[in-house]
Amino acid sequence: MKADTCITMLKALADETRWRIVQVLLAGPSTVGELAEKLEVSPYNASKHVRIPREARIVATEKEGKTVECRVADELRKKLSNNKMALDLGCCTLRFDQAKRGSK
């Protein structure tokens, strides 16, 4: 993987809300509305946060009418660990099962 691609992906996950979005999506697809409920943010904020990992090719979206369904991008889903909570970006592997909300 090229360094600039890796940097873009890591920047996309640097925000806690975007990290939590990917963490939720590793369990399965969700709509933006469902993400907003699970993360306790407004649908507007969830939608804005989904855009960044989508542009970094971490998240894929599909729009049906007014509903936008989100999932981990197929290319990354193929590289998931056995427990489905470690995401191999090609430059590094991120473990979403050990991250706790609000931890530093």
Side-chain angles (χ1 to χ4, degrees):
M1 174 180 288
K2 292 170 38 177
D4 59 334
T5 303
C6 184
I7 291 168
T8 300
M9 292 176 132
L10 292 173
K11 282 182 179 181
L13 294 171
D15 178 84
E16 181 183 355
T17 300
R18 293 190 298 266
W19 177 276
R20 290 173 49 216
I21 285 170
V22 174
Q23 193 173 33
V24 169
L25 296 177
L26 284 169
S30 290
T31 65
V32 169
E34 292 167 342
L35 287 170
E37 285 180 29
K38 291 174 185 176
L39 302 176
E40 299 176 349
V41 298
S42 72
Y44 175 81
N45 282 339
S47 180
K48 291 300 235 181
H49 278 289
V50 164
R51 179 183 58 81
I52 295 168
R54 185 188 72 228
E55 289 174 353
R57 297 185 178 169
I58 296 169
V59 170
T61 60
E62 187 173 324
K63 188 171 183 175
E64 291 185 30
K66 292 184 178 184
T67 303
V68 177
E69 185 170 277
C70 308
R71 66 182 185 286
V72 172
D74 292 338
E75 182 179 322
L76 294 176
R77 186 157 289 287
K78 292 176 190 175
K79 298 178 183 179
L80 287 176
S81 66
N82 289 337
N83 72 356
K84 307 288 187 216
M85 294 304 288
L87 191 58
D88 180 357
L89 299 180
C91 58
C92 60
T93 300
L94 302 173
R95 302 233 11 208
F96 286 78
D97 56 342
Q98 295 180 346
K100 301 229 188 282
R101 183 178 176 186
S103 65
K104 296 184 184 197

